[in-house]
Amino acid sequence: MDATTMADAILHALGGPDNVASSTHCATRLRVNPRDVARVNAAALDAVPGVLATQVVGEQVQVVVGPGRVDEVAAAFARVLSPDPTVPTRRLPTRVISVIVDVFTPLLPALVAGGLLTAIHNVLAGPGAFGDLAAVDAVPELRGPVALVGMLGAAVFALLPVLLGFAAAGRFGGSPYLGAAMGAALVAAPGLAAVSALPAIHLTPSTGWVLDGIDVLAIDYQGTVLPIIVICFVLARLERFFGRRLRGSARVLLVPLLTLLTTGLLAFLILGPTLRFLGDTAAEGMEWLYTSAGVVGGTVVGAVYSPLVVTGLHQGLIAIELGLLSTGGSFIFPIAAAANVAQAAATLAIWVSARRGSRLRALAATATVPAALGIAEPAIFGVTLRLRAPFAIAVGATAVAATLLAALRIQAVTLGAAGVFGFVSIAPGRVGPFLACLGVSIVLSFTGTLLWARWRQRGGRPLESDGATEPSDETTVRSPAAGTRLDVSALADPVFAARALGPTSAVAPSSGLVSSPAAGTVSAIAAASHAYGVTTDDGTELLVHVGIDTVRLAGRGFRPLVRVGDRVASGDALVHVDLAAVRGAGFDPVVLTIVTNADEHQYTDIAGGSEVAVGTPLMRQTRVAKEY
């Protein structure tokens, strides 16, 4: 049932719009104050699909729908209740960045390894780094090993849609293997259509599948990002659509078949060509802007280059750059080099500022060198974009450097590594100014990020998790507060006591500092600051709920220490609670930790003593439930 239909059914069971005096919601439930409680049909409320439980507390009716849907249902309830509601929503850019970071996080080891291998290959195989000759020309015996190094690194980025398909489909709730299969189809289609052992898919240019001038099977998706993420978003929804309508053996056999076939048709006929067209259009627009607007064009191109890398649309620049090089010189290469070193400098500043021994510091250390040598993806997706501000600072530094590059008319005359060794590709006589522009980009990005990190740390907010990612097959949920472990079934709130929202642990806190129960990303913060959603890297959705009915405090006594989108480790502080103020207002400050997607991630309690500290294991994942 969609949110609007569900809200309409809830409103009808409550006695209609004229019986609703006011409504609000907390992290788990819709709270309605009816004018006449006797008109509320409790049985009809319980029967609404998606309603987990209902209860009447005094003159208030509480409809429990869970943290995964409460915002959506509350917004829909406001719409059906009033013709002109004002409903706050998360900003689209924040949601998009969160999705991209979630998709790329599991791929970071491969990206870091691929980036380092590619950088090593570029240094050894490119002329000018060690004199006039490349290292492989000066020492021919190195040619084979260096070629292998390059192949290993290039494979990661050439076949990136396969890796992204696996991660993105899982992120959107679909089968990761179907996502990987869809990514493989995108990458393999041009080769399979041209040369194949299967006659039916052996296509020549004259017999290709050409629609409106576009050969849909010949489009090259190697190294792209946005197409496969959007395609997997559609794939996951189609998989659920077919899964709801098929049962038994037909479900097992037909759901993957219909999902892959339907997604493939949409991908090759609509989604892929459209997104590839957008990339090519963006590239052509950048070329026109640079050549028409001069210095201002350089500024704009510098500002949009790294965001294009995030979406993968920068692949459309390759054809334009080759054309520019054939006619004398390319402005794209110098700006790309400035963008890459800016990301490297920002990542280096994070390495300097991060906690010693933390995972963030280690990741920054491994991502800095590839970015400096021309492979910025590990730095962007592993460090700067996850923290957001360093990415923006690096983009600003790139814009300034690109302005200078445009003013000085610096161009590349050949392809190479777009980083600190990029000077070997610059036109003779312009190497000095090129290096000076790179220096501006490095200094601005490093200094700006360092100042931001210092400011954040002075405010008592950690940069990010130290977070060694816990094993996905046995994730441990740890105590978010020090205190006494309580019997959940004895809680005063019957919904929490019945574990209606999922596996639950309860701790009576002895300290007001409440921390994250696992490593992950802060996915939601209640408006009253009393509840925090944390999504782990394996997809477990945790809700840390401080107090019973504390939403009525409207944030008084709660001081949030994180924002939505922040990465946290197990034990990183989420909120400081004034326990005396909460108790003084008549509320129980019990700290609840709830697994809200227990249908996918099943947890059991871990036995232990009654006294717990922050980080004491409370629940352990027993298995990941995944079915069609």
Side-chain angles (χ1 to χ4, degrees):
M1 180 177 287
D2 64 83
T4 300
T5 304
M6 185 175 175
D8 189 63
I10 292 173
L11 183 61
H12 180 74
L14 288 168
D18 61 325
N19 195 42
V20 177
S22 63
S23 68
T24 184
H25 72 284
C26 62
T28 61
R29 62 196 76 185
L30 185 67
R31 296 166 177 262
V32 182
N33 294 310
R35 290 187 171 90
D36 183 1
V37 176
R39 292 175 56 186
V40 176
N41 188 336
L45 275 177
D46 285 329
V48 174
V51 171
L52 303 177
T54 59
Q55 64 179 5
V56 178
V57 180
E59 295 298 314
Q60 185 181 80
V61 178
Q62 299 180 2
V63 184
V64 183
V65 296
R69 298 202 69 191
V70 66
D71 290 335
E72 184 182 6
V73 172
F77 188 81
R79 287 196 299 270
V80 298
L81 184 64
S82 172
D84 296 307
T86 301
V87 181
T89 58
R90 285 181 66 193
R91 292 176 297 174
L92 180 61
T94 300
R95 298 203 305 270
V96 171
I97 290 175
S98 176
V99 167
I100 292 176
V101 169
D102 288 347
V103 169
F104 270 91
T105 294
L107 308 184
L108 290 178
L111 291 176
V112 170
L116 285 171
L117 289 168
T118 303
I120 293 171
H121 172 269
N122 289 344
V123 170
L124 296 177
F130 300 101
D132 295 334
L133 291 177
V136 293
D137 294 327
V139 185
E141 290 79 8
L142 290 177
R143 190 172 298 277
V146 170
L148 175 62
V149 169
M151 184 273 292
L152 292 173
V156 174
F157 298 99
L159 301 180
L160 189 58
V162 180
L163 301 176
L164 287 173
F166 186 91
R171 167 60 175 79
F172 295 129
S175 166
Y177 300 99
L178 289 180
M182 198 63 246
L186 291 181
V187 174
L192 290 175
V195 179
S196 174
L198 300 176
I201 60 174
H202 179 73
L203 301 177
T204 64
S206 61
T207 61
W209 196 354
V210 179
L211 299 177
D212 199 21
I214 298 176
D215 190 338
V216 299
L217 297 182
I219 299 175
D220 184 8
Y221 294 100
Q222 286 194 12
T224 57
V225 172
L226 194 58
I228 187 60
I229 292 179
V230 174
I231 288 166
C232 285
F233 177 82
V234 174
L235 180 145
R237 274 145 185 79
L238 286 173
E239 185 181 2
R240 288 200 292 273
F241 173 81
F242 292 123
R244 288 194 298 266
R245 285 157 177 79
L246 296 169
R247 293 292 183 269
S249 59
R251 187 181 194 185
V252 175
L253 292 172
L254 294 181
V255 167
L257 169 64
L258 294 174
T259 299
L260 200 59
L261 177 60
T262 309
T263 305
L265 289 171
L266 292 173
F268 282 101
L269 297 180
I270 299 174
L271 299 175
T274 300
L275 293 169
R276 191 68 200 211
F277 170 77
L278 290 177
D280 293 342
T281 301
E284 293 170 0
M286 289 174 62
E287 180 187 17
W288 174 85
L289 188 64
Y290 187 89
T291 56
S292 302
V295 173
V296 175
T299 305
V300 175
V301 172
V304 302
Y305 181 83
S306 290
L308 284 179
V309 172
V310 171
T311 63
L313 295 179
H314 69 299
Q315 297 291 332
L317 296 171
I318 295 176
I320 290 177
E321 185 162 28
L322 292 174
L324 292 172
L325 291 173
S326 66
T327 59
S330 169
F331 68 89
I332 297 173
F333 180 89
I335 292 178
N340 290 338
V341 299
Q343 295 294 335
T347 305
L348 180 63
I350 295 299
W351 176 80
V352 171
S353 306
R355 294 194 302 269
R356 191 176 299 276
S358 68
R359 182 172 183 265
L360 176 64
R361 183 182 174 93
L363 190 57
T366 56
T368 298
V369 174
L373 297 178
I375 307 296
E377 283 85 352
I380 291 175
F381 296 114
V383 181
T384 62
L385 188 63
R386 293 169 68 183
L387 300 177
R388 290 186 289 186
F391 180 78
I393 292 168
V395 167
T398 303
V400 174
T403 303
L404 297 175
L405 289 167
L408 298 172
R409 308 302 298 178
I410 296 174
Q411 295 183 329
V413 294
T414 184
L415 292 176
V420 293
F421 287 108
F423 64 86
V424 301
S425 300
I426 300 301
R430 311 302 291 162
V431 172
F434 169 76
L435 292 175
C437 292
L438 291 195
V440 170
S441 184
I442 292 170
V443 170
L444 290 178
S445 183
F446 180 83
T447 304
T449 304
L450 191 65
L451 291 174
W452 170 82
R454 294 288 187 262
W455 166 79
R456 183 180 173 101
Q457 290 170 329
R458 282 197 299 271
R461 300 176 62 190
L463 286 180
E464 208 233 339
S465 81
D466 64 1
T469 303
E470 296 169 294
S472 61
D473 60 342
E474 191 177 286
T475 299
T476 300
V477 175
R478 303 178 183 277
S479 176
T484 304
R485 192 169 181 174
L486 301 177
D487 179 6
V488 175
S489 62
L491 293 175
D493 187 298
V495 173
F496 290 138
R499 293 179 169 88
L501 299 176
T504 304
S505 69
V507 174
S510 59
S511 166
L513 198 62
V514 179
S515 304
S516 176
T521 302
V522 179
S523 53
I525 298 177
S529 303
H530 70 299
Y532 297 78
V534 176
T535 302
T536 68
D537 291 338
D538 74 344
T540 300
E541 296 173 1
L542 302 174
L543 176 68
V544 180
H545 193 288
V546 183
I548 293 177
D549 220 25
T550 45
V551 66
R552 293 166 56 187
L553 290 173
R556 296 189 300 276
F558 295 87
R559 180 164 61 90
L561 302 176
V562 292
R563 295 178 299 181
V564 172
D566 283 353
R567 289 283 301 179
V568 289
S570 176
D572 280 351
L574 297 176
V575 59
H576 184 272
V577 184
D578 187 337
L579 298 180
V582 173
R583 292 190 179 105
F587 297 98
D588 181 357
V590 59
V591 179
L592 306 172
T593 307
I594 307 169
V595 180
T596 60
N597 60 339
D599 55 333
E600 300 175 15
H601 301 264
Q602 296 186 1
Y603 281 76
T604 57
D605 291 339
I606 298 175
S610 60
E611 297 302 313
V612 297
V614 173
T616 299
L618 298 179
M619 293 184 284
R620 177 174 289 113
Q621 182 172 297
T622 54
R623 74 180 182 90
V624 177
K626 189 67 183 178
E627 61 178 2
Y628 287 114

